């Protein structure tokens, strides 16, 4: 099927195009809201500026497709979006659970309340993306770029973010319980009131990060860089900070009960009692 036939049939009211072969098709600016393309081959297709609001793209092959489009409330469960271009796309309240987004470009995309749980997003570009209140349980974001992304209220329970870049990202009230952020870059990130209990931040960079009121209890923080970080009223009880860098960090009113600080660098840190560590 080609683009003209699809648009003609859609215009007559037809909506079901299950498993249709539309590989490489150009549907720039097309209005295809509520279309059913479940399991369709749409690899390398171009949907720039298209309206795919409420579209069913479940299990569709969208590898390498250009989807700079309106995908509000779209169903993309288990879809193959490997290396797809979704930059600046609107995916508000879309379902991407279990989707393959490895190497995809989602820079500047709007993913507010989108379900990305168990999605494969290794190496994806999510810089400046809006992921407010998005469920992202067990998502794979290894080596992903989330610099300046807004993840306020996002749920990243047991997510894997090893070596991910979250520089200057917003994670206010985010839930990262049990997440793996080993070697991640969170310098300048805002993690105020975030839930980080049981998180693995081994060798991560949180220099100048804001963890005001964050719960970082029972966490693995070996060799983590907290230089000049704000840990005011943070809960660090029962965490392992062996070899961590806390120089010039603010620890006023922080809970350090049962914390392991063996070999930690504390020079210039402002301790819970308000005194500066020499």
């Amino acid at each position: 099927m080609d683009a003209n036939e699809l648009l003609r049939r859609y215009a007559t009211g037809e909506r079901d195009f299950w498993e249709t072969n539309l590989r490489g098709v150009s549907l720039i600016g097309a209005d295809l809201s509520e279309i059913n393309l479940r399991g369709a081959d749409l690899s390398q297709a171009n949907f720039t500026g298209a309206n795919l609001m409420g579209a069913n793209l479940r299990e569709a092959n969208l590898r390498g497709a250009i989807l700079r489009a309106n995908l509000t409330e779209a169903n993309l469960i288990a879809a193959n979006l490997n290396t797809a271009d979704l930059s600046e796309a609107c995916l508000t309240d879309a379902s991407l659970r279990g989707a393959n987004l490895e190497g995809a470009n989602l820079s500047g995309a709007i993913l507010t309340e989108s379900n990305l749980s168990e999605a494969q997003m290794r190496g994806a570009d999510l810089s400046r993306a809006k992921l407010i209140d998005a469920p992202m349980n067990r998502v794979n974001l290894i080596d992903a770029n989330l610099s300046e992304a807004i993840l306020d209220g996002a749920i990243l329970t047991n997510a894997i973010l090893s070596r991910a870049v979250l520089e200057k990202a917003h994670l206010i009230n985010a839930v990262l319980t049990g997440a793996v952020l080993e070697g991640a870059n969170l310098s300048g990130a805002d993690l105020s009131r975030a839930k980080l209990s049981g998180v693995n931040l081994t060798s991560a960079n949180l220099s100048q990060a804001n963890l005001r009121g964050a719960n970082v209890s029972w966490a693995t923080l070996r060799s983590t860089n907290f230089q000049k970080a704000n840990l005011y009223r943070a809960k660090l009880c029962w965490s392992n900070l062996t070899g961590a860098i806390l120089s010039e960090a603010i620890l006023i009113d922080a809970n350090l009960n049962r914390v392991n600080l063996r070999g930690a660098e504390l020079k210039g840190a402002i301790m819970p009692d308000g005194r500066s560590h020499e």
Side-chain angles (χ1 to χ4, degrees):
M1 184 184 299
D2 62 15
N4 289 332
E5 182 182 352
L6 175 71
L7 293 171
R8 179 182 59 77
R9 289 167 61 177
Y10 181 90
T12 64
E14 188 174 349
R15 293 293 180 269
D16 290 329
F17 298 92
W18 279 38
E19 300 180 355
T20 303
N21 185 351
L22 290 160
R23 182 182 180 89
V25 73
S26 178
L27 289 160
I28 297 172
D31 184 357
L32 298 166
S33 60
E34 306 294 335
I35 194 169
N36 185 358
L37 288 161
R38 179 170 180 170
D41 186 356
L42 299 157
S43 54
Q44 308 299 322
N46 189 345
F47 290 95
T48 301
N51 180 12
L52 290 160
M53 185 174 180
N56 183 3
L57 294 156
R58 182 171 182 149
E59 298 165 3
N61 180 9
L62 289 149
R63 182 184 180 93
I66 301 174
L67 285 156
R68 303 179 69 175
N70 181 6
L71 289 149
T72 302
E73 297 180 356
N75 181 352
L76 288 150
I77 294 172
N80 181 3
L81 291 148
N82 188 289
T83 67
D85 182 1
L86 292 121
S87 56
E88 311 294 335
C90 182
L91 290 142
T92 301
D93 206 27
S95 183
L96 292 132
R97 181 166 50 84
N100 178 0
L101 287 146
E102 290 195 17
N105 182 1
L106 291 124
S107 60
I110 301 172
L111 293 136
T112 300
E113 296 186 9
S114 293
N115 190 344
L116 288 153
S117 294
E118 299 176 0
Q120 298 298 314
M121 305 184 78
R122 185 171 191 143
D125 184 357
L126 287 142
S127 57
R128 299 177 291 101
K130 292 180 176 65
L131 295 139
I132 301 167
D133 295 328
M136 302 175 73
N137 300 295
R138 298 176 297 281
V139 66
N140 181 348
L141 284 159
I142 294 173
D143 295 319
N145 180 7
L146 291 123
S147 57
E148 299 184 48
I150 302 175
L151 295 121
D152 297 343
I155 302 171
L156 289 141
T157 305
N158 297 321
I160 306 173
L161 295 112
S162 301
R163 300 183 303 279
V165 178
L166 291 123
E167 191 172 5
K168 296 182 180 178
H170 284 236
L171 292 134
I172 300 169
N173 287 316
V175 180
L176 291 127
T177 307
V180 178
L181 291 120
E182 192 169 357
N185 181 3
L186 292 118
S187 61
D190 192 346
L191 291 139
S192 51
R193 300 184 302 282
K195 296 174 178 64
L196 295 147
S197 57
V199 74
N200 182 352
L201 281 158
T202 301
S203 300
N205 180 8
L206 285 107
S207 59
Q208 301 184 65
N210 182 12
L211 292 111
R212 182 187 177 104
N215 184 354
V216 202
S217 56
W218 297 94
T220 303
L221 306 166
R222 295 191 306 271
S223 302
T224 304
N225 182 2
F226 287 104
Q227 186 174 18
K228 296 183 179 180
N230 182 0
L231 290 149
Y232 176 72
R233 289 192 174 179
K235 296 178 182 178
L236 293 154
C237 48
W238 295 96
S239 289
N240 184 355
L241 281 143
T242 303
I245 301 171
L246 289 151
S247 53
E248 300 183 67
I250 299 171
L251 291 154
I252 297 173
D253 290 338
N255 186 342
L256 298 175
N257 185 43
R258 300 289 183 177
V259 168
N260 183 351
L261 288 163
R262 185 177 60 193
E265 173 58 62
L266 292 159
K267 186 175 181 180
I270 304 174
M271 302 306 287
D273 59 5
R275 296 181 182 180
S276 180
H277 193 280
E278 299 300 327

